[in-house]
Amino acid sequence: MPDIIQLLPDSIANQIAAGEVVQRPASAVKELIENSLDAGATSIKLIVKEAGKALIQVIDNGLGMSETDARMSLERHATSKIRTTDDLFRLRTMGFRGEALASIAAVSQFELKTRQANQELGTQILVEASEVKNQGPVACDKGTSISVKNLFYNIPARRNFLKANPVEMRHIIEEFQRLALAHPHVAFALYHSDDLIYDLTPSKLSQRIVSLFGKSFQGQLAACQEETALVKVTGYIGRPESARKTRGEQFIFVNQRYIRNNYLNHAVTTAFQGLLVENSFPFYVLFIEIDPKHVDVNVHPTKTEIKFDDERAVYAVVRAAVKLALGTHNLAPAIDFHSDINIVNKLSQNISNEQYFNEQFTSSLGRSNLQNWEKLFEDTPPDSKLFQKTEPANTLRFESSLNRQEEEKQETGAVFQFQNKYFVRAAKSGLMIIDQQAAHERVLFEKYANRLKSGGGNSQQSLFPQTISLSPVDFALVMEIESELISLGFRFEVFGKNTLLVSGVPVGCGSNEKELFEGLIEQFKRNQSELELPIRDNLAMAFARRTSVKTGQKLALEEIQSIVEGLFACSKPNFSPDGRPTFFTFETSKIESYFTR
Ligand code: ADP
Ligand code: MG
């Protein structure tokens, strides 16, 4: 038998690697800007055309490369950043795998121009799909400029898989914001086609936040600072009362690298406990500095996940930092951040006391969950916003709807609300128990889905149109789903940069345009990250969730009846749009079995 195993040609190996490293234009943006930062650039300009599909260009004033290095930089596993395995455990640079440029050049028409300060002439290299087309000296500025044209032009399947321009642009802006936040001392500019989207001068972090997210952040930020032997946490949090209805502006960086970490996110949220209105999300930008040897960044090539060797210690310090900031700035009443401080002190004294630690955690986590639960009910507004007419105390109806004459009149149809959560209703086959929120979500979902299909959502004109400032990311999202929002019944126009003027909302959805709109976008985004749904389904589902009655809400009889009727007129009454059961029937035979001897 002949031997059949061969090494893959570089161009194919690079293309395979590109599948991991370059998922979309935004990933190329990230890799290129990170390289510029690693090269010590103090000014970085990003130019994109057609949301990066036609062009992504990054121009920096960093160290540049020699002629040989320029050529080497395009080889796979070629890097100037690590030499030994030990280096892996003291990483200070953003890159280290040495595969970004090779991967990007494998799936685009790639142009590199670079010059070191001490050279007269720079080097230019043109590559198409890993093949060097041209290389030679060129007159250029000090630093490096890389242009990536027609990303995935040689892999039509990948190219076709790219999302519409607003979506890809949103990803690019997100990536850009993270990098710009992590490096406030570096000047950044972003051009989309010929529009200057951001022009950021070197500044302090607080100023950078304001230039990125808008003037409304001025005076809303509280500085955070906490340090132990293990970690240092710095950054800013937003005032609790300026928390938004949309998540989004929440950032955690570890050694200047943006990371996603639900556990640390929970640490921050817990510190805000009791200070936020329900369903609002505080702003925060937190920097964690920790010796790289305690961190493993190697988990995934896109590197937004991270592993700490002692995650709980980091949790405690983050929470303490946020609580302290809230306390120091008088944003919170005297809160018990002492327990956290004790933990922090213990950590800084390097006392490892596992039991002490465990107790602190379980008790505080357990307690906070309970508080949340209670709060849900305390805060519940007495009346449903959705209906104009309300009725007083529920217990009256409880009796009247079950009183004898009514019951005799109609065997089915009598209905009452139970514990502000369920409707109980006599049905032919037994006792039906309906989950009020799941049921209402189903009713509204079908209504909104129909509107989106027929496109005829009636709008209720606002007396005073309201302006809403959105983050660039959310703004791009709204543009992406504009026609669907109009079908639902929203009316709005673009009113300056990242700002909308909302002049109408769907009929019957209350009058707080701003809250409705922001809440909808937030829910939409949450669905988007959790479920892969077509836009219309997602939107109908998000809007149903936002506008439905909630568990814990006291309802008037007419409201209850209208939801019950609506539910059984639905095409799929058994489940809420996200698959929770809406009702179940306690069969008569089952009931009887309890009473037979
Ligand atoms: P990595 O960043 O993981 O080392 P890359 O493929 O991104 O791998 O880059 C390869 C090498 O090219 C880098 O190690 C660096 O030496 C060089 N390089 C890339 N971009 C730049 C730049 N903008 N300025 C200077 N050198 C660069
Ligand atoms: Mg790199």
Side-chain angles (χ1 to χ4, degrees), residues 122-352:
T123 308
Q124 179 180 43
I125 304 181
L126 297 178
V127 183
E128 287 184 9
S130 289
E131 200 180 309
V132 178
K133 295 283 182 190
N134 186 17
Q135 169 166 5
V138 70
C140 62
D141 288 335
K142 170 203 161 225
T144 304
S145 159
I146 292 180
S147 304
V148 176
K149 291 183 192 146
N150 304 320
L151 190 67
F152 299 134
Y153 81 102
N154 55 339
I155 315 180
R158 296 290 302 273
R159 179 129 184 129
N160 295 336
F161 192 68
L162 292 178
K163 297 271 162 57
N165 287 0
V167 185
E168 296 300 343
M169 198 55 207
R170 180 158 55 85
H171 286 283
I172 291 178
I173 294 176
E174 275 174 355
E175 216 54 85
F176 180 88
Q177 286 181 338
R178 292 167 189 167
L179 291 157
L181 266 183
H183 303 272
H185 54 280
V186 175
F188 280 91
L190 166 58
Y191 290 83
H192 188 201
S193 300
D194 292 323
D195 296 339
L196 178 58
I197 313 251
Y198 284 114
D199 187 9
L200 309 170
T201 51
S203 55
K204 295 188 299 189
L205 176 60
S206 53
Q207 277 161 356
R208 175 67 40 109
I209 293 173
V210 171
S211 349
L212 273 171
F213 302 119
K215 289 226 166 58
S216 63
F217 282 80
Q218 233 152 18
Q220 298 296 318
L221 302 171
C224 262
Q225 171 120 27
E226 187 61 66
E227 190 168 358
T228 71
L230 175 72
V231 300
K232 180 173 170 190
V233 176
T234 55
Y236 286 94
I237 55 169
R239 284 173 173 277
E241 60 274 21
S242 65
R244 297 249 200 146
K245 288 286 169 197
T246 64
R247 202 188 299 268
E249 279 111 20
Q250 301 187 331
F251 301 86
I252 296 179
F253 299 89
V254 172
N255 296 342
Q256 288 188 302
R257 197 189 290 279
Y258 172 80
I259 61 145
R260 256 184 250 273
N261 188 312
N262 286 337
Y263 187 61
L264 294 184
N265 176 53
H266 183 270
V268 181
T269 319
T270 316
F272 270 94
Q273 190 81 65
L275 300 174
L276 296 171
V277 287
E278 215 187 315
N279 279 327
S280 65
F281 302 90
F283 171 87
Y284 59 84
V285 177
L286 295 175
F287 289 86
I288 297 172
E289 278 170 61
I290 184 166
D291 187 326
K293 72 172 186 248
H294 295 302
V295 174
D296 180 8
V297 287
N298 211 359
V299 248
H300 194 266
T302 51
K303 294 175 262 178
T304 50
E305 282 113 64
I306 193 167
K307 278 207 184 103
F308 298 98
D309 55 11
D310 191 352
E311 202 169 37
R312 292 191 308 171
V314 181
Y315 182 103
V317 183
V318 167
R319 188 174 54 173
V322 174
K323 279 195 177 183
L324 262 176
L326 288 166
T328 320
H329 289 78
N330 277 332
L331 303 179
I335 35 176
D336 63 331
F337 50 77
H338 298 289
S339 61
D340 294 87
I341 302 304
N342 285 339
I343 296 178
V344 171
N345 287 340
K346 278 200 178 274
L347 288 169
S348 46
Q349 289 157 25
N350 263 337
I351 301 172
S352 123

Side-chain angles (χ1 to χ4, degrees), residues 35 39 60 64-65 73 78-81 95-101 144:
N35 280 345
D60 70 47
M65 288 176 263
S73 73
T79 178
S80 55
K81 299 169 194 174
F96 62 91
R97 292 162 183 271
E99 54 189 5
L101 292 191
T144 304

Side-chain angles (χ1 to χ4, degrees), residues 447-460 483-491 505-507 536:
K447 178 166 131 189
Y448 298 147
N450 279 335
R451 262 191 217 173
L452 284 167
K453 214 185 302 163
S454 61
N458 286 334
S459 183
Q460 175 183 314
S483 61
E484 284 84 5
L485 288 168
I486 290 171
S487 297
L488 266 185
F490 283 99
R491 297 291 178 268
V505 294
V507 169
R536 283 182 186 174

